[in-house]
mmCIF file of all heavy atoms in Angstrom:
data_model
loop_
_atom_site.group_PDB
_atom_site.id
_atom_site.type_symbol
_atom_site.label_atom_id
_atom_site.label_comp_id
_atom_site.label_asym_id
_atom_site.label_seq_id
_atom_site.Cartn_x
_atom_site.Cartn_y
_atom_site.Cartn_z
ATOM 1 N N VAL A 9 -0.953 -17.712 -4.380
ATOM 2 C CA VAL A 9 -0.543 -17.365 -5.769
ATOM 3 C C VAL A 9 0.991 -16.954 -5.618
ATOM 4 O O VAL A 9 1.461 -16.568 -4.569
ATOM 5 C CB VAL A 9 -1.320 -16.153 -6.331
ATOM 6 C CG1 VAL A 9 -1.090 -14.897 -5.523
ATOM 7 C CG2 VAL A 9 -1.037 -15.939 -7.809
ATOM 8 N N ARG A 10 1.722 -17.184 -6.657
ATOM 9 C CA ARG A 10 3.103 -16.781 -6.640
ATOM 10 C C ARG A 10 3.258 -15.849 -7.964
ATOM 11 O O ARG A 10 3.009 -16.283 -9.047
ATOM 12 C CB ARG A 10 4.064 -17.939 -6.774
ATOM 13 C CG ARG A 10 4.132 -18.887 -5.566
ATOM 14 C CD ARG A 10 5.366 -19.491 -5.417
ATOM 15 N NE ARG A 10 5.447 -20.547 -4.514
ATOM 16 C CZ ARG A 10 5.371 -20.361 -3.273
ATOM 17 N NH1 ARG A 10 5.442 -19.222 -2.691
ATOM 18 N NH2 ARG A 10 5.534 -21.382 -2.330
ATOM 19 N N ILE A 11 3.636 -14.692 -7.689
ATOM 20 C CA ILE A 11 3.900 -13.777 -8.692
ATOM 21 C C ILE A 11 5.462 -13.514 -8.721
ATOM 22 O O ILE A 11 6.066 -13.100 -7.824
ATOM 23 C CB ILE A 11 3.187 -12.381 -8.447
ATOM 24 C CG1 ILE A 11 1.691 -12.614 -8.477
ATOM 25 C CG2 ILE A 11 3.597 -11.375 -9.524
ATOM 26 C CD1 ILE A 11 0.816 -11.414 -8.098
ATOM 27 N N GLY A 12 6.065 -13.943 -9.771
ATOM 28 C CA GLY A 12 7.512 -13.796 -9.900
ATOM 29 C C GLY A 12 7.900 -12.490 -10.396
ATOM 30 O O GLY A 12 9.029 -11.995 -10.006
ATOM 31 N N HIS A 13 7.089 -11.830 -11.169
ATOM 32 C CA HIS A 13 7.605 -10.546 -11.786
ATOM 33 C C HIS A 13 6.352 -9.889 -12.473
ATOM 34 O O HIS A 13 5.468 -10.622 -13.000
ATOM 35 C CB HIS A 13 8.639 -10.817 -12.911
ATOM 36 C CG HIS A 13 9.159 -9.652 -13.421
ATOM 37 N ND1 HIS A 13 10.113 -8.818 -12.801
ATOM 38 C CD2 HIS A 13 9.034 -9.067 -14.730
ATOM 39 C CE1 HIS A 13 10.433 -7.819 -13.611
ATOM 40 N NE2 HIS A 13 9.713 -7.862 -14.720
ATOM 41 N N ILE A 14 6.265 -8.590 -12.269
ATOM 42 C CA ILE A 14 5.267 -7.825 -12.959
ATOM 43 C C ILE A 14 5.760 -6.833 -13.899
ATOM 44 O O ILE A 14 6.725 -6.010 -13.547
ATOM 45 C CB ILE A 14 4.309 -7.082 -11.844
ATOM 46 C CG1 ILE A 14 3.649 -8.078 -11.012
ATOM 47 C CG2 ILE A 14 3.313 -6.252 -12.611
ATOM 48 C CD1 ILE A 14 2.902 -7.486 -9.946
ATOM 49 N N GLU A 15 5.402 -6.987 -15.116
ATOM 50 C CA GLU A 15 5.915 -5.988 -16.192
ATOM 51 C C GLU A 15 4.836 -4.939 -16.290
ATOM 52 O O GLU A 15 3.640 -5.244 -16.366
ATOM 53 C CB GLU A 15 6.104 -6.746 -17.549
ATOM 54 C CG GLU A 15 7.312 -7.635 -17.584
ATOM 55 C CD GLU A 15 8.549 -6.761 -17.735
ATOM 56 O OE1 GLU A 15 8.595 -5.796 -18.314
ATOM 57 O OE2 GLU A 15 9.621 -7.274 -17.257
ATOM 58 N N THR A 16 5.254 -3.693 -16.410
ATOM 59 C CA THR A 16 4.353 -2.586 -16.828
ATOM 60 C C THR A 16 4.877 -1.936 -17.920
ATOM 61 O O THR A 16 6.057 -2.075 -18.296
ATOM 62 C CB THR A 16 4.175 -1.560 -15.555
ATOM 63 O OG1 THR A 16 5.464 -0.945 -15.449
ATOM 64 C CG2 THR A 16 3.812 -2.327 -14.390
ATOM 65 N N GLY A 17 4.091 -1.069 -18.471
ATOM 66 C CA GLY A 17 4.481 -0.197 -19.640
ATOM 67 C C GLY A 17 5.140 0.999 -19.258
ATOM 68 O O GLY A 17 5.504 1.745 -20.109
ATOM 69 N N VAL A 18 5.313 1.153 -17.984
ATOM 70 C CA VAL A 18 5.917 2.403 -17.456
ATOM 71 C C VAL A 18 7.440 2.362 -17.606
ATOM 72 O O VAL A 18 8.034 1.379 -17.292
ATOM 73 C CB VAL A 18 5.642 2.625 -15.988
ATOM 74 C CG1 VAL A 18 6.284 3.835 -15.386
ATOM 75 C CG2 VAL A 18 4.134 2.655 -15.751
ATOM 76 N N GLU A 19 7.945 3.356 -18.205
ATOM 77 C CA GLU A 19 9.411 3.485 -18.383
ATOM 78 C C GLU A 19 10.026 4.004 -16.980
ATOM 79 O O GLU A 19 9.651 5.069 -16.546
ATOM 80 C CB GLU A 19 9.772 4.391 -19.476
ATOM 81 C CG GLU A 19 11.289 4.549 -19.798
ATOM 82 C CD GLU A 19 11.661 5.467 -20.853
ATOM 83 O OE1 GLU A 19 10.895 5.500 -21.755
ATOM 84 O OE2 GLU A 19 12.562 6.173 -20.670
ATOM 85 N N ARG A 20 10.976 3.144 -16.496
ATOM 86 C CA ARG A 20 11.395 3.578 -15.128
ATOM 87 C C ARG A 20 12.635 4.487 -15.373
ATOM 88 O O ARG A 20 13.593 4.134 -16.139
ATOM 89 C CB ARG A 20 11.938 2.323 -14.414
ATOM 90 C CG ARG A 20 10.916 1.358 -14.286
ATOM 91 C CD ARG A 20 9.926 1.623 -13.269
ATOM 92 N NE ARG A 20 8.917 0.654 -13.002
ATOM 93 C CZ ARG A 20 7.779 0.763 -12.661
ATOM 94 N NH1 ARG A 20 7.327 1.952 -12.479
ATOM 95 N NH2 ARG A 20 6.937 -0.190 -12.514
ATOM 96 N N THR A 21 12.558 5.691 -14.731
ATOM 97 C CA THR A 21 13.662 6.583 -14.851
ATOM 98 C C THR A 21 14.065 7.063 -13.578
ATOM 99 O O THR A 21 13.247 6.973 -12.569
ATOM 100 C CB THR A 21 13.281 7.874 -15.670
ATOM 101 O OG1 THR A 21 12.145 8.531 -15.122
ATOM 102 C CG2 THR A 21 12.985 7.409 -17.145
ATOM 103 N N ALA A 22 15.289 7.615 -13.266
ATOM 104 C CA ALA A 22 15.716 7.970 -12.039
ATOM 105 C C ALA A 22 15.108 9.387 -11.801
ATOM 106 O O ALA A 22 15.028 9.729 -10.571
ATOM 107 C CB ALA A 22 17.246 8.092 -11.927
ATOM 108 N N VAL A 23 14.659 10.087 -12.720
ATOM 109 C CA VAL A 23 14.073 11.462 -12.470
ATOM 110 C C VAL A 23 12.617 11.332 -12.455
ATOM 111 O O VAL A 23 12.058 10.722 -13.340
ATOM 112 C CB VAL A 23 14.471 12.399 -13.646
ATOM 113 C CG1 VAL A 23 13.931 13.838 -13.380
ATOM 114 C CG2 VAL A 23 16.127 12.473 -13.774
ATOM 115 N N ALA A 24 12.038 11.925 -11.456
ATOM 116 C CA ALA A 24 10.466 11.943 -11.365
ATOM 117 C C ALA A 24 9.897 12.811 -12.544
ATOM 118 O O ALA A 24 10.475 13.862 -12.991
ATOM 119 C CB ALA A 24 10.019 12.507 -9.970
#
Side-chain angles (χ1 to χ4, degrees):
V9 67
R10 289 208 194 285
I11 298 175
H13 185 72
I14 296 177
E15 286 283 332
T16 66
V18 178
E19 181 178 321
R20 306 285 183 211
T21 60
V23 179

